[in-house]
Amino acid sequence: MPPIRDKFTIHSKAVVCQDVELKGDITIGAGKPPMPLPSGPIVIGSGCIIEEGAIIVNRRKEVMRIGDDNLFEIGCRVESPTVGNCNTVCTRARVHHTLRMSSYCVIGAGVLVVPTEDEMLDDYTTIYGPSAERRIWSGRGKVQEMDLRRKHAEYLREMLPKFNRLRRGDGT
Amino acid sequence: MSAVPNTPRRANAQESFTPAATPQTSRVASSHIVQSSPHYQTTRRHSLYGTEDRIILDPGSCIWKVGFSGEGKPRDVFYAGGDSGESLWTLNRASKPAEREEEDRILEAKLQACLRSVFHNSLLTDPKSRKVILVEHPLLPLHIKEIMARILFNNLQVPSISFASSHLLALLAAGRVTGLVLDCGHLESTVLPIFSFRPLYPHLRTTPLAGARLSNHIKALLLMFGTYIPPATSLSATMNIPAASRSIRVPQDVLTEKVIDEIKTRICFVGDPIDTDGSGAAQHAMSPGPSEADLPPSDPALSESEFSRVSADVSIDSSNFAPSSGYSVVSHSQLPGMDHAPGESRVQALATMYGRHSTATDIHLRVDPPPAQQTGTGRGTLIVPGWIRERAAEVLFEGGDVDESSVAEVILDTLLKVPVDLRKTLASTILVVGGTPMLPGFIPRLQAELTRAVSRTSNSSSSSAAPSRAGRPRPRPAAYDKYAALRPLLPYFAILNNPAPPPPGNATAAANAGKAPAFTPSMMAWVGGSLAGALKTGGVEVQREKWDEAEAQPDSDDDVPMAHDSSPARSARSSPAKSILPDWTRTPLPTGAPPAPRPPAAAAYIPSAQEQMVMG
Amino acid sequence: MAPKIEYYCPCLAESPYPPPPHLASSSYSFHALHNLFFCEECDAVRCNRCVLVEVSGYYCPNCLFEVPSASVRAEKNRCARNCFLCPNCRNTLTVVPSDPPEDVDSRMSPIVSTTLGEPPFFLYCNHCRWDSAEVDITFEKPTGLAAQLQKFEDSAPESLEFERLKEHFEPFLRASSSSTALPSASSHHVHTNPITAAASSALARDIPGVGKYNPLSRSRIGRDKAAHRQEYPDYKSRVEVGHAAALSGEVDVELLRHLETVGEVASLEQRWSNSWVTPLRASDLKPLRIPLQSKKSKRCPSCRHILIKPEQKAQSTRFKIKLVAANYLPAIAVTLPHAQAALEMMKRSSAKSVSAAAAAEEQQTAGALIAGHSYSFHLAFTNPLYDPIQIRLAKAVVPAHMTEDAEAAERARRSTFQIQLPSAAFPVGAFAEAWEYDDEDEDMFLDEDGVELLDARGKKGKDGRGKSRSVGIVDKRANVTIVSGEVLIPKEARGDVKFNMLVSYTYRSDDPEPSEEVEVGTPSRSHGTNKAPEMKNFSFYTVVDLGSIMYREEPKLTADL
Amino acid sequence: MDLPIYYTRAEYIETDTGNKVSRRATISGPQNIILGGKTIIASGAIIRGDLRRTGPGHAVVISLGRYCLIGEGCVMRPPYKTYRGNFNYYPMKIGDHVHIGANSIVEAATIGNHVEIGKNCIIGKFTIIKDCAKIADNTVIPPNTVVPALALFAGSPGRFVEDLPESTPEMVEAQTKQYYTRFQPLPQER
């Protein structure tokens, strides 16, 4: 159980497992925790938002690295061995462990991404729709989006404690 | 406004010679909008539809185009058979009366749904106040025409329907009144010569080589040469097998109508004629008869059958398309004297030959796994070989069969039939319309095939446009040079809407080739209809009053079914309709025979023979 | 699937008899009760396939703005405001400002209030992240976008070419239509039909080499030769397809030959409404203006009386006039007790609350109708009228003069199973607000239901077979009466248990609602108990579908059928 | 006749206005949530009343009308955005007779009366759903979408499919009321 600095806001529903290493300030919304794993640890960067029901699993032995300012929306499931910065995994999207994300990628709501072979998404790749079609996003509007995300994180850090008893990760 | 059209139009003409650029020229506040304002006005004026504006329906067996007259493009385009993309009707009807009746009832129900949604969902207009122009394919089965008329008049109560020949309308959209129009649609390719507004129906020629056949062929090819990689078996599988080891032959039910349609409309195109040493037409023309030497060329002939045999073996359920088309490829190539023993190898040979003549890239498609194997782990991958993308359409140019001539042959056959004096004119004003010519490269290829077929000399000419057919043993007089008569026309051949016309053979060709406005082949008939509507004209018009009267006519053969349950009654009602709907097939023969006698009441509304000849 | 019942709409067909249910086409003439209307004038059921529909107002489904019909015409049925569809995924687009210039390390510095965002503005799809700047469409101000784009649409090549074509043909048609006077023999259309006239004048002309088509020709040759002279010059295209080739033809072939992914090429649906040759590339697609929708009023096809008249307000779900069948005909619900019993068992055994999906799944297996057994089915009639009604059921009489084969098929079908319906008329209580969801009543209903289920299960204990159940009233309360019928399925039976049922009911005619005298000719006449003079009778056909017959002895196994 | 849907008394809290809330549901910031009465919140549902507008005083975050159903595993979460540079969450208002199928996720701004939302749907931020609309199972409605009255939406992204029958209000009302009456404690517990 690593010491948790007050910087962290851990929602009552959030459980932080022993083998998850926390760096920087992290906001974890209510819901399922990063799962305890058969294998490697998970390193989550700063400014990430993990909403309720999001599941982050490391299926590999090596460390799973998640960069900064990523948003994992409600009920999504991420197994990517590496996730860059500023990515968005939308509501109930599912990303298989064969997929690595660079930066500014968007996995659309409800999309299932299961590449049959290991694959690295280019920056700004957007995956959307029932058949998981792909586009490259022009990146226009990203500054505003990141601004929104950072302000959102601030808000959560400030508000969550008021309504939710903070528990210091009662991992298994 | 339209009084002073030219000056500003010129101004615009300049810049929209690169039309794509027009809308693209970024910021909205750019200069030429000011210029375009006159047209802005005019177009507005014409888009104001009073009851004057007609509704233009172009109902295909597969895709419908609907909109208002006076507009440059339809308001809505949709699959009539639902998103599955299957066609509403096929070339053949059930033989048993009971089955046919049931077939018709279902067709009527579907047509009714389509027509109602056209007015209520696509056009949002009140049918009772809108005259309708029905873009009519000359070979549209009469019973379907009747059903449509019945729904429009009885169920939707439109004031009148005008029936206009799709070929003629298409020609109008090209700015011509004389020409040889090839409509290559879904079920059929039909050629109709038109001389100064006047369709020469007796010379109409048709072939089943069209969209549906192409889809069918693509399917057969994919089943043999496509590759399918199923999705991962489970999401939790930590280690994954390389795709290569999991790739398999394409399962039958991965290739749904929808998938095939996407392949056809999105990634297929038509390559240049296969014309290399050894398999080129020229050489073969020289080499007499069949010989071991020209194995490759002799392949396709057989392989056609091989493919379709394959497709037969895996039993493509023929409900998707006309059962005939499912197998006719077989039938037409299983001519006497053909043994299928070396089939497989030949098919392979063909594949390799096509492969040799294609530089197209392979394409990966994401497709739904067969219902049986849906593991909820996403979609499978279908790999379409580049040569299939480029060479699938060869099937349309593979002629040489009496009742399934290639799209090139069907044009030439028509030319052979028309009066000699018209040939030059028609040969130099060929117009190609319909959905299938939307395939990139189709029209240029057609032009090439025409030239090739005509320029071929005796022994190989017995076969078709396709070089590959050359030297194939056939049970017909080898020396018979079918198109010899047309050879003098060679320099005249010109396709009005050929996007890339070859160097013209002479002035006439030069004046015509590629001179049509840049409307898309698939839309020409509709645009023509819109034009006719805007010009307050159209085909033979049938008023609702007349229809009702004709329907009210107590018809002798009506009494019996009238009492019956609704469906036979409904079909029975059509009998009076028959007599008032224009139908060129019931018009006098070229010999000038008088019209067949008809019940007087109806007779009054039969457009006179010549009108029908014109507009039917 | 759960057993269901649908109501027949004759759709103005001559015959009052419904089509035999085994015909696939019959499905088009039967509808769920809530989709049907009722015309009080004709005293008849109407459906969405036969009613006359009129537009009573246009609105944009996105901004919900009510559009006056005048501008509807001008705007080609599309929203003239800020509503656009993503050309790529058909999601609705939103207008967004551009990013502020990205400073070196934007990540750490939150933007100082992007007050209204800065121009240029562009359209943005928050589903697939397409944006209009990709195709160089941007705006100085975030409003009146459609108006700004309209200008492009009007200067679109196809409309300009179209105008030119019109001007090309107009004079010729005028000339020929005036010059031609065809013999009256050839009906009135001719005159209203310049093109026909023009054509027939052309026709009268000798076509070199073509045999004379009609006697007219000779008389005309002279003038037509002239006509031939002054014949219109060849049309000169504004943009020739040859010139436009840059956008199609060879270029496309090359594009396709070297194609990497399907995505590069626009799908058929994305380009098929273009009448003008346009690039194939998906990257060239333009935003689409959102098509308007309409509020519809509906009329009876035979008497023209209004059945549905919506309120003017686009988003109001109330109607000025609303004559729906549900207010006139008793609602019927059909159930198979043995299936429900089984389902109930499962529910109890499994977790207290079964997820609907699972329930449906189990109903599937439990509801099985196994060949060689007989089952009872329940029909629950709910009376919408404020007066009690008497209902009488009958199997649809197959008209004797049915076409041969249909009859044969009918016989074949009927032979597969036997239906027993209560022969006597039974009452259904009047509808009253008070009865709705009144608690005691609920409990009472539950108890009875419970009892009912129990004995159903008892029967099921005997493997749902044999021992013919009583056919008749099972339960009666409030405005609901449940009667039970029976189906006997012989061993060799196949297909669906699906039959037409005639429902006739009598009601007090002085009740305000459907007080018209019975339509002459409605089959109701024969049936119905017209003893009391003020009682009126109405009959309608239904199709009852109990599900398909299974062959397994064990219902459980049927799962893997 | 539809069968009753049983639950164990132990699991559900019944309020005096007839709301039935599962103890297995997560209700954060309950003081910011309003239930209209006879509304059922099934087990596993998450309702985020805690994500309230910043600023002083009491703020309603989520309000539900009468005869609503929040299915099992649903997530109800108010939408957020920055307006003029200030970040905020905005309230979510839901009308009467609204059924939300199991495992759907809702971040809508407004949902009218008589609305049916199927299973496994995703209703994006600031979506507006008008009266009597219906969202088919597994539909994904992207943010800022407007669903007009009496329209059926389906697909991903969700698109208009067809108009719903004029009698929809009555039907939905009857269904929701009936569902509430069918939803009752196990008989042996009575």
Side-chain angles (χ1 to χ4, degrees):
Chain A
M1 183 77 202
I4 298 175
R5 277 160 282 135
D6 309 294
K7 261 230 211 92
F8 307 142
T9 322
I10 303 168
H11 191 278
S12 59
K13 285 289 160 181
V15 186
V16 181
C17 311
Q18 259 80 358
D19 55 357
V20 175
E21 180 187 354
L22 300 174
K23 291 225 257 61
D25 53 344
I26 298 174
T27 308
I28 301 176
K32 289 246 197 66
M35 306 288 289
L37 307 160
S39 52
I42 303 175
V43 181
I44 302 180
S46 69
C48 290
I49 301 176
I50 303 173
E51 296 184 345
E52 50 270 74
I55 304 177
I56 298 175
V57 185
N58 183 355
R59 288 197 178 282
R60 308 259 172 127
K61 289 279 164 290
E62 62 273 18
V63 179
M64 172 175 182
R65 298 200 173 277
I66 296 176
D68 302 338
D69 294 327
N70 295 299
L71 170 59
F72 302 95
E73 291 192 330
I74 306 165
C76 69
R77 179 186 180 96
V78 177
E79 303 175 357
S80 311
T82 58
V83 176
N85 304 323
C86 309
N87 296 289
T88 310
V89 181
C90 297
T91 308
R92 210 177 303 107
R94 175 160 183 165
V95 183
H96 202 228
H97 62 86
T98 46
L99 187 81
R100 296 160 185 269
M101 280 186 262
S102 37
S103 294
Y104 290 102
C105 295
V106 181
I107 312 298
V111 172
L112 173 66
V113 194
V114 189
T116 46
E117 270 143 353
D118 281 10
E119 179 180 6
M120 178 76 167
L121 283 188
D122 302 343
D123 288 3
Y124 298 106
T125 304
T126 303
I127 306 186
Y128 63 95
S131 59
E133 288 146 83
R134 300 186 179 194
R135 296 189 83 250
I136 297 299
W137 171 35
S138 66
R140 285 183 203 85
K142 70 177 176 186
V143 177
Q144 292 161 82
E145 188 173 343
M146 283 309 128
D147 175 56
L148 171 64
R149 186 164 304 172
R150 247 167 269 116
K151 288 169 173 167
H152 187 192
E154 285 165 21
Y155 170 96
L156 291 174
R157 251 176 254 119
E158 168 193 350
M159 297 297 280
L160 287 182
K162 296 186 185 165
F163 290 91
N164 308 282
R165 290 167 290 102
L166 286 196
R167 223 184 295 140
R168 311 245 160 208
D170 57 356
T172 61
Chain B
M1 268 314 175
S2 57
V4 286
N6 280 345
T7 13
R9 181 153 291 143
R10 286 285 148 59
N12 260 39
Q14 300 324 342
E15 56 196 57
S16 43
F17 266 95
T18 60
T22 321
Q24 278 176 340
T25 44
S26 58
R27 291 310 186 73
V28 174
S30 61
S31 59
H32 76 283
I33 288 144
V34 193
Q35 300 174 342
S36 71
S37 56
H39 317 288
Y40 178 74
Q41 293 305 336
T42 46
T43 43
R44 275 313 176 80
R45 196 194 61 209
H46 291 296
S47 68
L48 283 171
Y49 46 87
T51 45
E52 274 309 286
D53 294 272
R54 319 278 193 89
I55 279 167
I56 314 298
L57 298 183
D58 184 352
S61 64
C62 204
I63 296 179
W64 284 30
K65 307 163 191 98
V66 304
F68 290 101
S69 63
E71 295 180 5
K73 58 194 274 191
R75 289 287 183 91
D76 194 13
V77 179
F78 59 91
Y79 282 117
D83 284 343
S84 65
E86 71 198 45
S87 60
L88 278 180
W89 62 83
T90 59
L91 284 180
N92 46 0
R93 301 172 75 183
S95 48
K96 298 240 302 295
E99 290 172 20
R100 186 180 310 157
E101 225 173 53
E102 172 70 359
E103 242 178 36
D104 291 357
R105 276 193 296 266
I106 293 182
L107 177 60
E108 172 150 17
K110 288 181 176 170
L111 283 173
Q112 194 195 44
C114 286
L115 286 168
R116 284 182 77 91
S117 108
V118 163
F119 285 89
H120 301 147
N121 303 336
S122 304
L123 304 181
L124 305 183
T125 184
D126 176 7
K128 288 195 292 307
S129 60
R130 294 266 178 265
K131 296 183 165 193
V132 172
I133 294 181
L134 196 78
V135 178
E136 181 197 14
H137 191 283
L139 294 183
L140 177 71
L142 186 59
H143 75 278
I144 296 178
K145 191 157 129 189
E146 282 166 20
I147 296 178
M148 287 191 189
R150 187 156 67 239
I151 296 167
L152 284 170
F153 280 132
N154 299 358
N155 186 288
L156 288 160
Q157 311 196 344
V158 300
S160 87
I161 309 177
S162 307
F163 297 87
S165 152
S166 56
H167 288 69
L168 177 55
L169 292 178
L171 201 55
L172 292 186
R176 306 303 184 102
V177 294
T178 298
L180 188 63
V181 184
L182 163 67
D183 179 345
C184 190
H186 180 66
L187 298 177
E188 288 177 294
S189 299
T190 314
V191 178
L192 180 60
I194 297 176
F195 181 80
S196 69
F197 274 116
R198 171 179 175 186
L200 308 177
Y201 287 112
H203 303 319
L204 177 138
R205 287 289 174 279
T206 179
T207 171
L209 296 186
R213 178 64 61 83
L214 176 55
S215 307
N216 190 2
H217 189 61
I218 293 175
K219 188 166 185 174
L221 287 176
L222 284 175
L223 285 168
M224 288 204 65
F225 301 104
T227 316
Y228 174 68
I229 307 174
T233 45
S234 91
L235 287 176
S236 50
T238 341
M239 89 138 282
N240 45 339
I241 318 99
S245 61
R246 291 182 300 115
S247 55
I248 55 173
R249 260 199 175 193
V250 184
Q252 177 67 212
D253 42 12
V254 159
L255 300 178
T256 60
E257 283 288 287
K258 220 174 160 53
V259 170
I260 294 294
D261 219 54
E262 178 168 29
I263 293 172
K264 184 170 77 174
T265 55
R266 260 180 120 169
I267 63 177
C268 281
F269 65 103
V270 186
D272 309 331
I274 299 175
D275 206 352
T276 58
D277 48 284
S279 61
Q283 285 80 348
H284 280 290
M286 302 316 131
S287 66
S291 73
E292 278 61 52
D294 48 21
L295 170 69
S298 69
D299 294 336
L302 290 174
S303 55
E304 273 319 303
S305 66
E306 290 306 328
F307 289 143
S308 33
R309 281 234 305 345
V310 171
S311 57
D313 297 345
V314 292
S315 73
I316 288 176
D317 63 314
S318 46
S319 62
N320 296 351
F321 27 71
S324 70
S325 69
Y327 302 88
S328 52
V329 196
V330 188
S331 59
H332 90 59
S333 40
Q334 270 165 352
L335 294 158
M338 277 174 46
D339 64 342
H340 288 299
E344 277 304 330
S345 63
R346 282 246 170 76
V347 178
Q348 209 49 53
L350 175 96
T352 43
M353 183 189 72
Y354 278 173
R356 217 172 45 247
H357 295 297
S358 166
T359 55
T361 50
D362 296 0
I363 290 290
H364 293 228
L365 281 176
R366 311 179 51 76
V367 293
D368 284 320
Q373 307 158 22
Q374 267 165 10
T375 51
T377 53
R379 302 204 166 183
T381 310
L382 173 66
I383 303 178
V384 184
W387 66 265
I388 293 187
R389 300 202 293 124
E390 181 168 1
R391 294 298 168 191
E394 294 297 327
V395 70
L396 300 178
F397 300 100
E398 293 246 356
D401 184 278
V402 218
D403 36 43
E404 295 203 337
S405 31
S406 76
V407 284
E409 285 172 325
V410 76
I411 290 181
L412 298 174
D413 296 344
T414 317
L415 278 175
L416 282 175
K417 292 287 177 299
V418 299
V420 186
D421 322 44
L422 288 184
R423 288 183 182 169
K424 278 192 172 59
T425 328
L426 294 176
S428 56
T429 54
I430 299 171
L431 181 67
V432 183
V433 302
T436 312
M438 296 295 284
L439 282 174
F442 180 97
I443 295 179
R445 171 65 183 269
L446 179 61
Q447 173 100 41
E449 291 294 346
L450 287 172
T451 328
R452 179 206 298 273
V454 173
S455 55
R456 181 166 308 117
T457 53
S458 62
N459 52 10
S460 60
S461 70
S462 65
S463 82
S464 77
S468 32
R469 284 301 176 83
R472 167 169 164 200
R474 285 185 152 281
R476 56 162 84 160
Y480 166 53
D481 182 353
K482 195 173 172 194
Y483 301 121
L486 298 178
R487 204 154 297 130
L489 294 179
L490 211 39
Y492 287 89
F493 279 109
I495 300 181
L496 289 172
N497 59 340
N498 186 345
N506 62 20
T508 331
N512 293 313
K515 287 289 184 274
F519 288 112
T520 60
S522 62
M523 212 50 85
M524 282 220 158
W526 187 91
V527 172
S530 171
L531 191 59
L535 295 166
K536 303 281 171 294
T537 107
V540 177
E541 188 171 14
V542 179
Q543 310 282 351
R544 182 153 107 243
E545 302 74 53
K546 309 304 171 208
W547 168 272
D548 295 343
E549 285 175 32
E551 245 192 359
Q553 291 294 324
D555 238 33
S556 55
D557 49 37
D558 258 8
D559 309 343
V560 197
M562 270 311 185
H564 288 14
D565 77 332
S566 57
S567 25
R570 243 190 267 119
S571 44
R573 255 189 280 131
S574 67
S575 49
K578 270 205 190 62
S579 57
I580 111 165
L581 293 183
D583 173 19
W584 62 269
T585 56
R586 280 186 280 107
T587 55
L589 300 167
T591 53
R598 234 175 256 93
Y605 313 111
I606 306 155
S608 69
Q610 57 269 48
E611 281 171 90
Q612 293 188 23
M613 295 311 295
V614 177
M615 301 308 302
Chain C
M1 114 248 105
K4 68 173 175 16
I5 184 164
E6 285 184 328
Y7 294 57
Y8 174 62
C9 172
C11 285
L12 302 185
E14 281 71 8
S15 137
Y17 300 107
H22 67 275
L23 291 179
S25 60
S26 70
S27 63
Y28 294 100
S29 355
F30 291 99
H31 314 265
L33 176 61
H34 61 258
N35 287 324
L36 291 172
F37 312 102
F38 191 88
C39 174
E40 293 193 341
E41 302 305 314
C42 310
D43 197 26
V45 170
R46 300 291 179 223
C47 72
N48 275 313
R49 296 177 58 81
C50 59
V51 292
L52 303 176
V53 178
E54 290 165 8
V55 176
S56 74
Y58 302 87
Y59 66 93
C60 167
N62 188 50
C63 62
L64 303 180
F65 178 75
E66 287 155 42
V67 186
S69 44
S71 52
V72 167
R73 297 171 167 184
E75 303 295 342
K76 296 196 164 68
N77 292 2
R78 309 213 161 232
C79 179
R81 309 169 92 217
N82 289 352
C83 304
F84 292 87
L85 288 177
C86 172
N88 190 49
C89 70
R90 297 293 154 95
N91 179 25
T92 49
L93 297 169
T94 40
V95 195
V96 298
S98 319
D99 277 339
E102 198 172 349
D103 44 16
V104 206
D105 181 17
S106 66
R107 304 210 22 251
M108 281 312 107
S109 63
I111 308 168
V112 282
S113 72
T114 46
T115 43
L116 282 171
E118 45 244 64
F121 295 85
F122 54 90
L123 292 162
Y124 168 78
C125 172
N126 51 29
H127 186 67
C128 69
R129 300 234 165 184
W130 178 91
D131 69 61
S132 65
E134 290 178 20
V135 288
D136 301 320
I137 296 180
T138 59
F139 310 87
E140 273 90 4
K141 49 182 178 46
T143 52
L145 307 187
Q148 298 177 54
L149 288 180
Q150 176 68 50
K151 305 199 173 63
F152 291 128
E153 290 171 22
D154 288 328
S155 58
E158 73 266 14
S159 20
L160 300 183
E161 188 78 54
F162 189 87
E163 292 309 310
R164 192 188 181 92
L165 276 167
K166 257 183 66 195
E167 282 150 23
H168 171 71
F169 281 110
E170 242 154 9
F172 162 70
L173 288 171
R174 224 178 289 112
S176 48
S177 56
S178 55
S179 68
T180 355
L182 280 177
S184 57
S186 54
S187 88
H188 58 285
H189 322 114
V190 185
H191 311 290
T192 70
N193 237 347
I195 203 173
T196 328
S200 42
S201 74
L203 196 159
R205 173 184 323 140
D206 276 336
I207 294 178
V210 184
K212 305 278 175 292
Y213 277 68
N214 59 76
L216 293 173
S217 49
R218 273 187 203 72
S219 61
R220 293 269 202 67
I221 293 174
R223 209 205 70 244
D224 289 320
K225 283 283 181 288
H228 218 330
R229 290 295 121 51
Q230 54 103 60
E231 192 126 308
Y232 35 85
D234 267 354
Y235 174 72
K236 184 83 187 62
S237 305
R238 196 174 149 280
V239 178
E240 290 172 357
V241 69
H243 288 90
L247 305 174
S248 76
E250 291 319 298
V251 178
D252 285 348
V253 170
E254 282 318 303
L255 166 70
L256 279 167
R257 185 170 275 128
H258 306 114
L259 199 62
E260 291 303 328
T261 65
V262 203
E264 295 171 45
V265 176
S267 73
L268 181 60
E269 287 84 346
Q270 285 170 334
R271 48 194 160 89
W272 65 3
S273 64
N274 302 337
S275 64
W276 198 251
V277 288
T278 38
L280 286 176
R281 274 187 217 74
S283 55
D284 293 322
L285 294 169
K286 304 279 180 295
L288 310 157
R289 289 168 63 189
I290 290 184
L292 298 177
Q293 289 180 6
S294 65
K295 294 195 70 131
K296 303 178 174 70
S297 52
K298 303 179 176 176
R299 292 177 178 276
C300 169
S302 68
C303 70
R304 301 269 167 147
H305 276 77
I306 295 187
L307 303 175
I308 294 291
K309 193 179 194 339
E311 284 190 348
Q312 209 44 51
K313 222 173 126 292
Q315 291 312 301
S316 148
T317 55
R318 292 200 305 281
F319 295 81
K320 296 210 188 85
I321 300 175
K322 178 158 130 183
L323 303 177
V324 292
N327 297 339
Y328 297 87
L329 311 188
I332 309 174
V334 54
T335 51
L336 290 163
H338 78 279
Q340 289 203 327
L343 181 57
E344 193 55 18
M345 296 281 271
M346 295 167 195
K347 258 199 198 160
R348 304 253 168 128
S349 56
S350 65
K352 292 296 172 285
S353 56
V354 167
S355 87
E361 162 59 34
E362 273 145 1
Q363 184 127 26
Q364 184 73 292
T365 64
L369 297 165
I370 298 140
H373 294 204
S374 79
Y375 299 91
S376 78
F377 56 89
H378 287 176
L379 298 167
F381 293 81
T382 312
N383 178 7
L385 305 181
Y386 289 90
D387 293 291
I389 56 173
Q390 287 282 330
I391 296 187
R392 183 182 292 273
L393 301 179
K395 267 178 292 179
V397 286
V398 183
H401 45 60
M402 194 108 164
T403 54
E404 272 322 303
D405 29 58
E407 176 140 38
E410 183 66 9
R411 228 183 288 102
R413 189 186 62 80
R414 245 195 274 88
S415 71
T416 59
F417 57 84
Q418 280 304 333
I419 297 292
Q420 271 189 38
L421 294 170
S423 46
F426 54 89
V428 183
F431 169 81
E433 312 298 344
W435 271 323
E436 260 194 335
Y437 314 108
D438 173 352
D439 281 19
E440 305 78 76
D441 188 60
E442 275 318 324
D443 289 349
M444 181 249 278
F445 139 60
L446 286 168
D447 296 340
E448 294 198 9
D449 208 38
V451 171
E452 207 255 299
L453 284 161
L454 280 170
D455 73 291
R457 201 149 57 264
K459 285 164 199 149
K460 179 136 189 327
K462 301 186 208 70
D463 197 1
R465 69 151 59 257
K467 160 154 171 327
S468 68
R469 251 143 271 136
S470 59
V471 168
I473 299 185
V474 173
D475 172 28
K476 178 179 185 324
R477 67 185 156 70
N479 61 334
V480 180
T481 300
I482 304 175
V483 301
S484 130
E486 189 172 38
V487 55
L488 194 152
I489 308 170
K491 276 258 175 284
E492 70 287 354
R494 294 286 175 271
D496 292 358
V497 181
K498 208 173 175 189
F499 60 97
N500 288 352
M501 178 174 74
L502 175 69
V503 180
S504 6
Y505 65 96
T506 51
Y507 55 89
R508 298 247 326 289
S509 67
D510 59 350
D511 113 60
E513 306 271 22
S515 57
E516 291 65 32
E517 63 291 334
V518 184
E519 270 285 300
V520 185
T522 20
S524 54
R525 270 303 162 78
S526 48
H527 318 272
T529 58
N530 293 0
K531 45 196 164 354
E534 83 279 44
M535 295 305 278
K536 292 297 173 210
N537 184 311
F538 184 79
S539 325
F540 57 92
Y541 278 99
T542 60
V543 63
V544 180
D545 184 353
L546 295 177
S548 47
I549 302 169
M550 311 230 179
Y551 319 130
R552 311 299 187 77
E553 273 315 302
E554 240 325 297
K556 291 283 160 287
L557 299 185
T558 57
D560 49 34
L561 254 185
Chain D
M1 283 292 95
D2 291 308
L3 300 165
I5 300 162
Y6 295 114
Y7 64 87
T8 45
R9 279 206 190 289
E11 176 178 348
Y12 280 83
I13 311 163
E14 179 161 3
T15 69
D16 42 15
T17 51
N19 299 310
K20 298 181 178 183
V21 181
S22 166
R23 297 179 191 279
R24 294 204 233 126
T26 308
I27 314 285
S28 29
Q31 62 273 47
N32 302 334
I33 300 173
I34 297 178
L35 301 184
K38 301 205 169 188
T39 280
I40 301 168
I41 295 172
S43 67
I46 301 178
I47 303 187
R48 300 300 302 273
D50 55 332
L51 302 173
R52 59 173 291 221
R53 210 188 178 104
T54 44
H58 173 75
V60 174
V61 174
I62 295 178
S63 71
L64 286 156
R66 309 180 71 237
Y67 290 107
C68 291
L69 167 68
I70 308 299
E72 297 156 30
C74 282
V75 179
M76 309 289 290
R77 195 183 213 273
Y80 62 83
K81 68 176 177 187
T82 53
Y83 179 61
R84 294 175 179 269
N86 311 318
F87 177 92
N88 233 324
Y89 272 89
Y90 292 80
M92 177 193 294
K93 186 177 184 316
I94 296 179
D96 301 338
H97 304 285
V98 174
H99 269 207
I100 299 175
N103 301 314
S104 288
I105 296 173
V106 179
E107 295 183 273
T110 318
I111 298 180
N113 302 319
H114 304 107
V115 172
E116 293 173 275
I117 296 177
K119 302 185 202 64
N120 305 314
C121 292
I122 300 174
I123 310 299
K125 298 181 180 61
F126 293 103
T127 297
I128 296 174
I129 303 181
K130 303 301 254 180
D131 294 353
C132 303
K134 179 172 182 173
I135 313 293
D137 292 356
N138 309 311
T139 302
V140 176
I141 303 281
N144 307 315
T145 308
V146 176
V147 179
L150 286 167
L152 170 63
F153 267 50
S156 166
R159 286 164 61 185
F160 174 84
V161 179
E162 62 175 13
D163 290 319
L164 293 169
E166 293 78 3
S167 52
T168 306
E170 294 78 3
M171 283 163 53
V172 176
E173 185 155 338
Q175 282 163 14
T176 52
K177 284 178 168 173
Q178 197 190 29
Y179 186 93
Y180 183 78
T181 46
R182 289 169 57 203
F183 190 80
Q184 51 192 264
L186 284 165
Q188 57 264 36
E189 294 184 359
R190 294 202 234 113

